[in-house]
């Protein structure tokens, strides 16, 4: 009887693991998307605060008093711009290959082509900075 009970227990555990594994993997994907959306919101907030500061200081192109480099009133897409305005760290890495829809991007893998958050400085006066999230995690 003990051997039969052990086999039944193993079969039940196997069935539970098959049912639970996809759900667990989906939770990881959802956590990554939520992290990227949080970083996106931080970048948008930093870009808007920097834009307000550039208006106060009447500087649309150049360096503000806090050292952030701006173009058309928003942080640039380089270490003196958005990277200085928002500290992106933790499990996110700057992507090696720039995606087509952003000037600079961060993801969970430096070689990623999906599952990233990106930032683009405005290319002309009157435009605003844009942030995007690619949620193919």
């Amino acid at each position: 009887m003990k051997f039969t009970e052990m086999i039944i227990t193993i079969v039940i555990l196997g069935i539970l693991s098959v049912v639970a594994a996809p759900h667990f993997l989906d939770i990881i994907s959802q956590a990554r998307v939520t992290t990227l959306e949080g970083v996106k919101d931080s970048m948008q907030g930093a870009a808007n605060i920097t834009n307000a500061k550039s208006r106060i200081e009447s500087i649309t192109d150049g360096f503000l008093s806090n050292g952030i480099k701006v173009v058309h009133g928003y942080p640039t897409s380089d270490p003196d711009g958005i990277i200085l305005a928002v500290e992106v760290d933790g499990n996110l890495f700057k992507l090696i290959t720039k995606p087509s829809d952003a000037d600079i991007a961060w993801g969970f893998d430096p070689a990623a082509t999906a599952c990233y958050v990106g930032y683009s400085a405005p290319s002309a006066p009157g435009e605003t900075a844009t942030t995007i999230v690619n949620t193919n995690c």
Side-chain angles (χ1 to χ4, degrees), residues 51-120:
N51 180 258
K53 186 164 183 63
S54 78
R55 290 173 187 246
I56 291 168
E57 295 182 12
S58 299
I59 300 172
T60 56
D61 295 305
F63 287 89
L64 300 178
S65 62
N66 60 3
I68 296 175
K69 185 178 177 184
V70 294
V71 60
H72 308 301
Y74 287 92
T76 57
S77 301
D78 59 30
D80 294 327
I82 194 66
I83 295 174
L84 185 61
V86 176
E87 185 176 331
V88 178
D89 61 1
N91 293 329
L92 293 179
F93 301 95
K94 185 177 171 205
L95 298 188
I96 296 168
T97 305
K98 179 178 80 85
S100 61
D101 56 357
D103 293 338
I104 189 168
W106 294 268
F108 293 96
D109 177 6
T113 57
C115 194
Y116 61 84
V117 59
Y119 173 83
S120 295

Side-chain angles (χ1 to χ4, degrees), residues 32-40 92 108 115-117 133-134:
R32 286 184 170 180
V33 169
T34 302
T35 299
L36 294 175
E37 288 174 349
V39 172
K40 174 185 177 262
L92 293 179
F108 293 96
C115 194
Y116 61 84
V117 59
V133 173
N134 180 310

